Amino acid sequence: MGLSQGRSRTPQRARGGTDAGVECKLNRSLHSGLLPSVYRSRVARLAQEALEQPPPEQLELTLRRCIAFCYTVTPEWAPHVRVTAFADNPSEHQSNVPVYETLLVAWGVPGFEGLEVKCTPVAGTDVMYGIVVPNPFWSRSLSTQNGQQVPCRALMHQLLYWFVSLDDVDPRKQLLVNILLQLHEACYNCIGRHKEVFEYCIYDLVDAEAQTQAGTVPSASVGAEVGVKAGIGFETLERAQESEAATASEDAAVLEAKRIVHRFAANFLDRHKRAAVHAMAISPLKFLFQNRYEVFENLDSHGSSFWVAVLSEVFFPDLQMPFEEIIDL
């Protein structure tokens, strides 16, 4: 006999003494060590640096220097550099498009609002009407420690200036080539691609800062060679050290070792979080929509933003994830 309308069934008592009709509460507690993110921390510090110690030059000049390095031209010739921006879909390739003007317009840099940069129209993207337009991702505001706001493009200016200021022989500077290429390509896509490229840029910055430039740390053999040339044996140099200095050196070495282990553990945690999001949602969805290009191509960008918002806002409110959230945009 069915239940009458407007009445509810009385929950039956389960064997364990609990009500079967009462939903079990999900244990959402995470260890505090799992909550932080190197990515989120670096973005916050980059915003603070952009506010307190901005580059000593305008974004336009920094961008010219970056283009000059990547395309082997002079900064004066950089605004005239034109390239082909390749897309996953061959029909969306952009031929003979400028790098300098495209980036300035897409980033919404003041003074370049009226500049018209023509390109091939691509449906469903920022350039659907055949011109480059400002993307709100770069003009969105990020908060600093004291509550002040800086636009996202100021963080990119800070990042580009850091890379372009490296010595040309520094291998880390080569990362700038791929950074600029992807930033330019994103201008012919959508906000999800801008978000994805920004994340890649922060990852590259974190990795580059963690690297020690080859040749800057002298080895023990170099120290011994210097001692011999000075007429002093390496063992004599070691014995001449004061006990307090030796102890201080040991303490410094221990602290440095701990710092290195902490850094690698923190970076591993960020990589694990990214892998977890892909294993949980992105990869299965890619399999399901592998034959629907318009869905498949957006899963790494829009898809990750959605699922990160679900994890951090619904299940684990204090969890920091190494992704940008663009739900509001």
Side-chain angles (χ1 to χ4, degrees):
M1 183 175 178
L3 293 174
S4 61
Q5 199 173 29
R7 296 178 60 186
S8 61
R9 175 178 293 175
T10 303
Q12 299 296 319
R13 181 69 63 181
R15 289 185 180 181
T18 60
D19 292 334
V22 178
E23 182 182 358
C24 295
K25 291 184 178 180
L26 177 66
N27 182 7
R28 300 178 181 176
S29 61
L30 289 175
H31 190 280
S32 59
L34 300 177
L35 300 179
S37 164
V38 172
Y39 174 90
R40 299 306 316 170
S41 174
R42 191 64 190 96
V43 170
R45 286 193 292 113
L46 200 61
Q48 195 69 29
E49 292 166 5
L51 178 66
E52 297 178 349
Q53 298 176 328
E57 60 189 32
Q58 295 296 318
L59 174 57
E60 297 93 300
L61 179 55
T62 300
L63 189 54
R64 287 188 182 202
R65 293 174 59 203
C66 291
I67 295 172
F69 173 79
C70 295
Y71 294 98
T72 320
V73 297
T74 63
E76 293 74 23
W77 186 255
H80 305 290
V81 172
R82 287 177 171 266
V83 298
T84 295
F86 293 94
D88 294 335
N89 190 340
S91 65
E92 299 178 4
H93 292 344
Q94 299 287 345
S95 301
N96 194 33
V97 286
V99 179
Y100 179 73
E101 294 177 344
T102 297
L103 288 169
L104 292 176
V105 172
W107 292 353
V109 178
F112 293 87
E113 300 89 348
L115 191 62
E116 185 177 272
V117 181
K118 295 183 179 180
C119 60
T120 302
V122 179
T125 69
D126 289 351
V127 296
M128 65 176 70
Y129 299 115
I131 57 172
V132 177
V133 298
N135 191 283
F137 180 84
W138 298 106
S139 57
R140 68 193 177 108
S141 297
L142 288 88
S143 298
T144 59
Q145 295 176 356
N146 56 8
Q148 292 184 267
Q149 305 283 319
V150 293
C152 185
R153 62 174 172 269
L155 277 67
M156 184 51 62
H157 184 195
Q158 199 79 12
L159 183 146
L160 291 176
Y161 181 77
W162 187 90
F163 274 104
V164 80
S165 298
L166 294 173
D167 194 284
D168 285 355
V169 298
D170 191 328
R172 296 174 297 176
K173 194 170 185 176
Q174 292 301 320
L175 291 170
L176 187 58
V177 177
N178 189 53
I179 287 174
L180 196 67
L181 185 150
Q182 294 200 65
L183 286 170
H184 183 229
E185 177 269 329
C187 297
Y188 307 101
N189 208 298
C190 64
I191 190 170
R193 180 58 179 161
H194 285 285
K195 162 204 170 290
E196 190 178 14
V197 172
F198 178 79
E199 292 168 354
Y200 291 151
C201 291
I202 299 298
Y203 301 152
D204 284 344
L205 177 63
V206 171
D207 290 341
E209 289 178 329
Q211 295 176 20
T212 301
Q213 186 177 353
T216 58
V217 181
S219 63
S221 59
V222 174
E225 182 180 355
V226 172
V228 170
K229 287 183 178 180
I232 307 172
F234 185 62
E235 295 180 358
T236 305
L237 288 174
E238 285 186 326
R239 287 196 301 268
Q241 293 179 345
E242 297 289 341
S243 59
E244 290 129 0
T247 303
S249 178
E250 290 177 6
D251 292 342
V254 171
L255 290 174
E256 178 64 13
K258 289 181 178 180
R259 187 185 67 82
I260 292 173
V261 172
H262 181 271
R263 186 183 73 229
F264 275 94
N267 288 335
F268 170 82
L269 180 59
D270 264 19
R271 288 194 295 269
H272 179 71
K273 288 178 178 178
R274 295 200 298 268
V277 171
H278 278 265
M280 175 197 73
I282 306 303
S283 292
L285 288 172
K286 279 187 171 182
F287 177 78
L288 292 175
F289 293 99
Q290 57 185 305
N291 296 321
R292 291 188 60 182
Y293 174 75
E294 67 277 10
V295 177
F296 182 89
E297 70 164 347
N298 287 303
L299 287 172
D300 283 317
S301 52
H302 295 281
S304 63
S305 179
F306 171 78
W307 287 106
V308 164
V310 170
L311 286 173
S312 59
E313 295 181 18
V314 178
F315 293 102
F316 309 106
D318 296 324
L319 179 64
Q320 294 183 359
M321 296 293 289
F323 296 93
E324 293 295 314
E325 297 180 12
I326 56 173
I327 299 299
D328 295 338
L329 298 177

